Structure formats: structure tokens, C-alpha cells
Amino acid sequence: MADLTRLTAAQTAERIANGEVTAVEVAEAHLARIDAVDEKVHAFLHVDRERALAQAREVDEKRARGERLGPLAGVPVAVKDLFTTEGVPTTVGSKILEGWIPPYDATVVRKLKEAGLVILGKTNMDEFAMGSSTENSAYGPSGNPWDLTRIPGGSGGGSSAAISAYEAPLAIGTDTGGSIRQPAAVTGTVGVKPTYGGVSRYGMVAFSSSLDQAGPCARTVLDAALLHAVIAGHDELDSTSIDQPVPDVVTAARNGDVAGLRVGVVKEFRGEGYQAGVLQRVDETVELLRELGAEAAEVSCPSFTKALAAYYLIAPSECSSNLARFDAMRYGLRVGDDGTHSAEEVTALTREEGFGDEVKRRVMLGTYALSSGYYDAYYGSAQKVRTLITRDFERAFGEVDVLVSPTTPTTAFPIGERADDPMAMYLADLCTIPSNLAGNAAMSVPCGLAGEDGLPVGLQIIAPAMADDRLYRVGAALEAAHQARWGHPLLEEAPSL
Ligand code: GLN
């Protein structure tokens, strides 16, 4: 039998539905792959063998009874360790939640289970989703399967590493400033940040509530759409969840087409700091869009140059408030509880030991930006920039159907290169942040390899809020054209481990 870990999620689901393979066989193949490679990749913080096999057995039993199965029933999925999972550890990549076992499932996790997906385990991430490389994880970095000495992106690097190493066909990520799209770009995979409010945040450990958004990670555009359709939709438990029908992303992904599409190439996202090879692949892809029948022209969004600065005031401000709940009294770690310390001292000692440097840096920055003397100068100004960015998008989407840009300025950088330079690390999200600030939908789709080492490059596609289907229509057209051009899917290029 062909290696089950090499199939797409759509192919796997079809074979399970046809009875060609069982969900248990599929789960076992992926668990064996994890056993074989995860010591090197370190995509997972927790592998849940027993539960995964039990979930797979349940799907097989349902099928045997003739019950109708969902379109991804029996397909394995890896979940970023930021979603609460009942009875399964959830650390958010932090020491402060070490040993915490949540008593409930996040809405996304509940939906995965109800749809019959098989949760293999929880993936590595930068602590509290703050970072672009997984180097801020309290449990050590993950490696990029294309080159294990390089970063797999962040914060959701465990999820992107797991799918590009064939440890899982699907994964769930979260994107506050780029943490689904940038990892997708540097691992040659597909990642989508849905419209803000499109996927429930209930049960996601909050970093920056007005920016955080869960979304799908996959090796193909169709697989991402199938997963998107499972996790999206209104949720009464999340007050920011949108009560409208989910855009039909699956039909869009099955009907890739860009004829007559108006594409805007963001003028501000090129120049200094962008790797030449990355810009070359992006330019070629814009040319390819033209060949496929799209009209493409440069569009200027001047406020985007201020997005990074605004983000690094708004995100830390919200995190300084959200992380106040980690007080040593409620969850996880407690340090100094030996009868000699006051409650306040226990809180302080626990935070000192439980939070890493980047988290502490952001809590301090956010507290400062929100303090009464500086509120207008920092937080207030950042919110004004946020409005200007939203207006730039509105103007642009008056002229074009989608915007495109590089997902990230460079290919995967070496582990360690930016670890001690927060500013250099922040630049990885230069092109992805505007969509979080405005709340619209964006995708990263592979668009070739660059540099001497031939590392993956991602093209970012951005669509207006609640037009997520457009991303999939364009992404699928590009994926098919790239495959036709190169004679094979890009993802088959990933070196074996
Ligand atoms: N790299 C960005 C940050 O560190 C984005 C993180 C994210 O999207 N979770 O804040």
C-alpha cells in the first residue's frame, strides 16, 4: 500500500469513505511517522496516541454501521498547543501552564471531534504565540523539514513543521500578526487567516483578542478549504464571532479560476530588507496570474508602512491585560507556595519563573503604552493608524478584488540568527500584520523556491472580510498552474528526513 502519510486530506477521506483503508490504519501510519521523525523535527509538544486511536476506531465503527461521515472523517489533524483540549495538556509553549489539564474543549477542537477528525496531539509554538520562529517556546524550537537548522516559522512553527514533515496532513494554527501565514510560507505549505470572527476564539488562550484568529494549515488549497469549512461558523460562546453564513470556501477551492480577476500588487511590500529571490518568485507569480487571465496592477497602501509599529503597541497592550490572569492562583505553575511568602510574592515569583523574556518584554511594553501619561501618545496613536490601514484596504478593495504581496520578506532563516534581536524577528511579519489590524482574510500559498538552498517562498493573497472564498479560488488556480508548470506539486520537493 502507498505511504498513507503522503496522501492529501481529501484523498485520505475518500479512501476511508470507500473502505480502501481504515481510519485506524491512517492514524497508525501517522503515529509511526511521528515516532520516526519527530525527535528531529520537534513539531509536537504532546502526542495523544490513545485518544487518537480511539477517535479513529469510532470513525471506523460509524462507517461499519453505515452512518454518514463528514468530508474529513478519519483524517488526522495536529492542533496548536494554544487551544484547550479536555483532559489533554495545554501549555501555550509556556512554563507557566506546565502541567495544566483543561477541563473543556475549545470550540474549534469540539468541531474537529464532531466532524470525526483524529487529533494526533498538540504542536509546538512560541510562548503565548509571541514570535516568528518557535525559538520562544519554553520547550525548545522546532526544525524546518526543508533544512532542520532553519526555523519553521512562528508562532505556529510546530503546526507547519508537522504537515511539511508528513506527520499530519492537516493542522490548526492561530494568526495574530502572521503566525499561520509566515510558517506556511517558509515551509512550502498553505495557511489561511480567516476573516476576524469567522472562526470561534472560545477556548483559545488569548494573546491579543482583537487580532487573534484561528485557521487551517495544510499541504494543498483544497485541504485547507475542507478544514476551514469544519472549524468556521458562528459561536454563541464568542461575542466577536460573526453571525453570517460561512463563505463557500470548498466550492471556491474546487473551482480555481482568476479570469477577469482584478489583482492589486501592494506597492509598499518590496524594497530594502526583501530577499531578491523572494521578490523574483512573487513577480513571476503575478505574471502567471496575468497569463491565467487576471488583470494586475500596482496599488499603493501608504499606511501599511506604519502597521508594524502600530501592531507592536496594540498587541502588547492587549497581552498585558490578557496575561494578568496568570497569577499562580488559578492555573498551572505555582512557585514559592511554602508558607513563607505572601500571595503577592507567590504571584511575582511564579511570573518570574513561568514567563520567558519575550512575554515579559511585551507585558512591560503594553503596561507602559496603556499608562495614563502615555495612553494618547502610544496606544491612542496606534489605534488611529489601525483606522488608516482599514481605510487603505477599503480604498484598495474599491479598485481590485484581491491584493497580493510576499508573505514574508525572506525565506526561512537559520535558528539562532534573530533569537537575540527582537526587531529583526518582528520584521518577519511586515506583510502579514495589516490584515490582522483590519480583520480581513488572507492566505499564504507556495510560489516556488528561492536562494542557493532552494527554500520555499509564499505568496500572500488578501481578500475583503467575509470574502474568504476568493482566497481559495485564486490559491487553487495558482496551485494548479504551478503544478502544471513544474510537472509536480511543489510539496513533493520537501527533502525526506
Ligand atoms: N510574530 C508576531 C508576534 O510575535 C505574530 C504572532 C502571531 O501571529 N501569533 O506577535
Side-chain angles (χ1 to χ4, degrees):
M1 190 185 303
D3 185 347
L4 295 174
T5 64
R6 304 284 150 151
L7 300 177
T8 67
Q11 291 165 339
T12 303
E14 200 181 298
R15 292 190 191 194
I16 292 171
N18 292 341
E20 282 172 58
V21 289
T22 65
V24 168
E25 285 167 339
V26 171
E28 278 171 347
H30 286 90
L31 290 166
R33 176 74 180 165
I34 293 171
D35 285 343
V37 302
D38 206 54
E39 213 170 300
K40 286 189 254 175
V41 180
H42 192 228
F44 285 89
L45 292 178
H46 183 81
V47 177
D48 201 352
R49 193 171 301 273
E50 298 313 313
R51 273 190 179 75
L53 288 172
Q55 283 165 354
R57 261 193 304 274
E58 215 176 291
V59 171
D60 289 335
E61 283 161 13
K62 273 192 183 159
R63 190 183 170 275
R65 287 197 300 267
E67 283 181 41
R68 255 194 67 171
L69 299 178
L72 287 177
V75 178
V77 61
V79 177
K80 189 175 183 181
D81 202 22
L82 177 146
F83 292 84
T84 57
T85 38
E86 186 181 344
V88 179
T90 298
T91 67
V92 213
S94 180
K95 278 265 180 288
I96 211 150
L97 275 182
E98 197 167 26
W100 182 57
I101 311 275
Y104 70 106
D105 279 334
T107 295
V108 164
V109 171
R110 177 178 59 76
K111 287 187 174 219
L112 292 174
K113 289 183 179 172
E114 285 171 3
L117 281 100
V118 172
I119 300 175
L120 295 172
K122 309 290 291 289
T123 54
N124 195 21
M125 54 181 288
D126 287 296
E127 185 177 10
F128 282 95
M130 299 174 193
S132 300
S133 69
T134 70
E135 291 167 287
N136 293 336
S137 168
Y139 305 97
S142 304
N144 186 325
W146 289 75
D147 173 352
L148 290 171
T149 68
R150 290 176 186 265
I151 60 106
S155 63
S159 288
S160 64
I163 56 176
S164 54
Y166 300 97
E167 294 173 78
L170 299 172
I172 300 287
T174 67
D175 193 309
T176 303
S179 285
I180 290 175
R181 290 163 285 163
Q182 182 257 4
V186 299
T187 56
T189 56
V190 179
V192 178
K193 182 199 92 67
T195 299
Y196 181 78
V199 177
S200 171
R201 286 187 298 110
Y202 179 73
M204 272 168 58
V205 178
F207 161 15
S208 181
S209 309
S210 77
L211 303 166
D212 299 342
Q213 187 55 217
C217 312
R219 294 193 295 260
T220 71
V221 173
L222 176 60
D223 283 0
L226 290 165
L227 186 56
H228 189 139
V230 166
I231 60 175
H234 181 239
D235 181 11
E236 278 176 7
L237 299 173
D238 171 4
S239 62
T240 57
S241 159
I242 297 176
D243 192 1
Q244 275 181 37
V246 178
D248 189 356
V249 294
V250 174
T251 303
R254 291 194 196 278
N255 295 292
D257 178 20
V258 296
L261 187 87
R262 296 168 305 165
V263 178
V265 184
V266 181
K267 179 176 165 223
E268 283 70 20
F269 289 154
R270 54 191 309 124
E272 208 190 319
Y274 288 80
Q275 202 175 310
V278 168
L279 292 177
Q280 202 182 327
R281 291 293 94 79
V282 169
D283 290 345
E284 285 165 11
T285 305
V286 170
E287 212 31 62
L288 181 59
L289 284 166
R290 286 200 183 100
E291 284 168 31
L292 296 171
E295 290 165 32
E298 206 171 68
V299 169
S300 177
C301 298
S303 307
F304 287 11
T305 56
K306 313 262 182 335
L308 194 70
Y311 174 88
Y312 277 101
L313 289 166
I314 293 169
S317 294
E318 291 188 15
C319 102
S320 72
S321 163
N322 272 326
L323 270 52
R325 61 169 63 83
F326 301 101
D327 57 3
M329 303 299 146
R330 290 177 252 218
Y331 331 84
L333 188 71
R334 182 178 296 165
V335 178
D337 184 17
D338 55 8
T340 69
H341 297 286
S342 68
E344 285 76 13
E345 283 166 352
V346 169
T347 300
L349 288 167
T350 303
R351 288 176 173 162
E352 167 61 29
E353 195 171 314
F355 286 141
D357 288 349
E358 183 63 22
V359 173
K360 286 177 186 155
R361 177 159 38 238
R362 296 204 193 184
V363 169
M364 286 193 284
L365 201 80
T367 309
Y368 184 77
L370 290 174
S371 59
S372 61
Y374 294 102
Y375 185 95
D376 288 338
Y378 294 121
Y379 184 75
S381 303
Q383 290 291 20
K384 287 179 188 156
V385 171
R386 189 172 190 173
T387 301
L388 294 176
I389 287 166
T390 304
R391 286 189 194 150
D392 273 359
F393 273 121
E394 280 167 7
R395 211 174 312 116
F397 287 131
E399 294 167 24
V400 298
D401 302 308
V402 294
L403 290 167
V404 298
S405 76
T407 304
T408 183
T410 69
T411 55
F413 47 87
I415 291 174
E417 188 187 85
R418 303 188 192 179
D420 300 320
D421 185 351
M423 277 309 292
M425 190 70 86
Y426 296 170
L427 288 172
D429 290 316
L430 203 56
C431 312
T432 46
I433 280 172
S435 288
N436 298 86
L437 290 171
N440 56 29
M443 166 188 278
S444 180
V445 65
C447 72
L449 308 175
E452 281 164 28
D453 308 324
L455 293 169
V457 178
L459 178 85
Q460 177 175 231
I461 310 166
I462 309 173
M466 292 311 275
D468 305 43
D469 49 330
R470 257 182 235 176
L471 304 175
Y472 288 95
R473 193 170 289 276
V474 180
L478 280 176
E479 184 180 66
H482 278 145
Q483 286 179 20
R485 174 169 290 194
W486 294 320
H488 55 71
L490 182 66
L491 59 100
E492 282 178 13
E493 285 283 286
S496 54
L497 290 160

